[in-house]
């Protein structure tokens, strides 16, 4: 780990005073009590006590890698974003993979979505695309996020993970069905971070040089091919090597096997969005690739493990709010909620100046009037003006970066989603997924994974929760419902009667 040059350096305190003695604290005689004046002892112990920063409340366990994005196709008719403005152009990036629900020390092979968060260091500022390995999510309104995550964490009394909490929540929130089915398929236990796809998941917008806007979804297709653990293999690996995915990535890059993904987009015009039979900004829905085909954009390669995990991976901070000129937001409610919550989480976890940390820092010009706060490391604007407008510097707002306005034709209200047309179909896409996407092997494993997971439901509400969730599976596909009911030894006639009753 150290080179010869390092060996020649003197050991010093953090303030630079060379140590004369490292192993023994100053004491009264060789066997006597220790002296309070041995400041080095305090410095070491006090620093050690403060080594941990708050763990990310979600996505705590992760793996980060630097890499490069290279444009292979021209998409300038959709976006003026400089990152895409020339075929062959390369942009440095940092990608953090993660699991979602577990703590920082949890196993990499847990059944969980995988975070897929990218920071592109573009010349127009850092662009963070903060997605998952699934194109969808469990909920479509951010108000439910903390409730949902609580169900993935620990029971307040037992401090154990609770299938009862999870399935209770899912069964009461039918929009989760699509993502639950992805999670319960073998793609819920990917073999490694190299063998999964990534998705921006939300709907974003792209704006071209003529200020025309389209809606887009981002896809990253792994060139390594999809590879998953079965449930049994994933459980076994938890015990063998909880850090399997981290190790796999470091070792692959050490072998110079640099993993690659192809970036593709789906595009929907504003007119198409208006006519779409479902809400195209609903994060529980995909856009059919038959209607909105994938368009090639470029290739991403990961090729450099950070030298220091804490410095770059633990301190990395991604926010979907960080878009660049030519890429914008959409009315996706989950995206809108995350615009606030991600930077807020970083201010809590890393401090208000988190964007000055090397991994988060924009390598290009940053000029603003934000000053002070804890841990300023960028010179704090030196002796330049700290207010705007002023008569002393030449910093200006560039109106060329203005986005086209978003037209709204609705009222402000608490909308109940069941009142909205096309808002309440939680079953068609999960049904298509089961019937048309999964092969027989995938279907078999999906059913056995669901049966295994639902078998963990316990307590006085067990039957209620199981039956309510079964109804959702039946609504997606009767054969799927039947197979799960059979696996759980549930009286199907009773569930069907309930289903019929609910329909009337
Ligand atoms: P398509 O047949 O055009 O696309 C199906 C998609 O499913 C492909 O992206 C395929 O990509 C992916 N896929 C294949 N096997 C699995 C699997 N076991 N788990 C998850 N994804 C898989 O159909 P549509 O676009 O009309 O979508 C049909 C259904 O496919 C949707 O209802 C949704 O459930 C699912 N899906 C759709 C996606 C989309 O963006 N449209 C993306 C992923 C899934 P690949 O084999 O490379 O993963």
């Amino acid at each position: 780990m150290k080179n010869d040059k390092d060996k020649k350096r003197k050991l010093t305190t953090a303030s630079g005073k060379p140590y004369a003695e490292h192993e023994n604290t100053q004491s009264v005689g060789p066997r006597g009590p220790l002296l309070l004046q041995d400041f080095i002892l305090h410095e070491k112990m006090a620093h050690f006590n403060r080594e941990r920063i708050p763990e990310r409340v979600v996505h705590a366990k992760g793996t980060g890698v630097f890499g490069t994005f290279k444009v292979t196709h021209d998409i300038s008719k959709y976006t003026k974003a400089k990152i895409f403005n020339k075929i062959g152009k390369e942009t440095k990036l940092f990608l953090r993979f993660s699991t979602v629900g577990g703590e920082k020390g949890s196993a990499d092979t847990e059944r969980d979505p995988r975070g897929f968060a990218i920071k592109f260091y573009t010349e127009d500022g850092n662009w963070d695309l903060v997605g998952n390995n699934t194109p969808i999510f469990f909920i479509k309104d951010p108000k439910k996020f903390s409730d949902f995550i609580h169900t993935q964490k620990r029971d307040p009394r037992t401090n154990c993970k609770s299938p009862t909490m999870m399935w209770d929540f899912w069964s009461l929130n039918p929009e989760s069905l699509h993502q639950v089915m992805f999670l319960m398929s073998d793609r819920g236990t990917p073999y490694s971070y190299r063998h999964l796809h990534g998705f921006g998941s939300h709907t974003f917008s792209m704006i071209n040089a003529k200020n025309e806007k389209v809606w887009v979804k981002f896809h990253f297709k792994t060139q390594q091919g999809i590879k998953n653990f079965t449930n049994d293999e994933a459980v076994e690996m938890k015990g063998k090597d909880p850090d399997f995915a981290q190790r796999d990535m470091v070792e692959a890059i050490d072998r110079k096997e640099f993993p690659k993904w192809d970036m593709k987009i789906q595009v929907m015009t504003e007119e198409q969005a208006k006519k779409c039979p479902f809400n195209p900004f609903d994060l529980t829905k995909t856009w059919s690739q038959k209607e909105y085909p994938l368009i090639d954009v470029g290739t991403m390669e990961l090729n450099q493990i950070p030298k220091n995990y804490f410095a770059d991976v633990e301190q990395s901070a991604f926010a979907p709010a960080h878009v660049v000129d030519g890429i914008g937001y959409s009315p996706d409610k989950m995206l809108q909620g995350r615009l606030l919550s991600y930077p807020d989480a970083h201010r809590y976890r890393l401090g208000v100046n988190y964007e000055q940390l090397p991994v988060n820092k924009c390598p290009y010009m940053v000029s603003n009037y934000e000053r002070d706060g804890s841990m300023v490391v960028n010179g704090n604007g030196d002796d330049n003006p700290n207010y705007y407008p002023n008569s002393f510097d030449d910093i200006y707002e560039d109106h060329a970066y203005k986005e086209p306005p978003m037209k709204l034709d609705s009222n402000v209200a608490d909308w109940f989603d069941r009142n909205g047309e096309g808002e309440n179909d939680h079953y068609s896409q999960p049904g298509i997924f089961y019937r048309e996407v999964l092969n027989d092997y995938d279907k078999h494993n999906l059913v056995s994974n669901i049966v295994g997971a639902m078998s963990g439901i316990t307590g006085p509400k067990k039957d209620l929760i199981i039956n309510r969730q079964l109804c959702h599976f039946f609504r997606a596909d009767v054969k799927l419902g039947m197979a799960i009911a059979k696996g759980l030894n549930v009286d199907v006639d009773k569930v069907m009667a309930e289903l019929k009753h609910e329909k009337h």
Side-chain angles (χ1 to χ4, degrees), residues 433-452:
F433 176 64
Y434 180 72
R435 285 186 297 276
E436 297 173 26
V437 176
L438 299 185
N439 60 31
D440 287 346
Y441 175 80
D442 292 333
K443 281 182 184 158
H444 172 270
N445 287 5
L446 173 74
V447 169
S448 89
N449 295 340
I450 292 173
V451 169

Side-chain angles (χ1 to χ4, degrees), residues 178 187 197 219 221 287-290 429 433 437-438:
H178 202 186
R187 291 203 189 188
H197 295 328
H219 299 244
K221 295 271 192 184
W287 296 356
S288 173
Q289 291 170 39
K290 294 172 198 98
Q429 291 197 356
F433 176 64
V437 176
L438 299 185

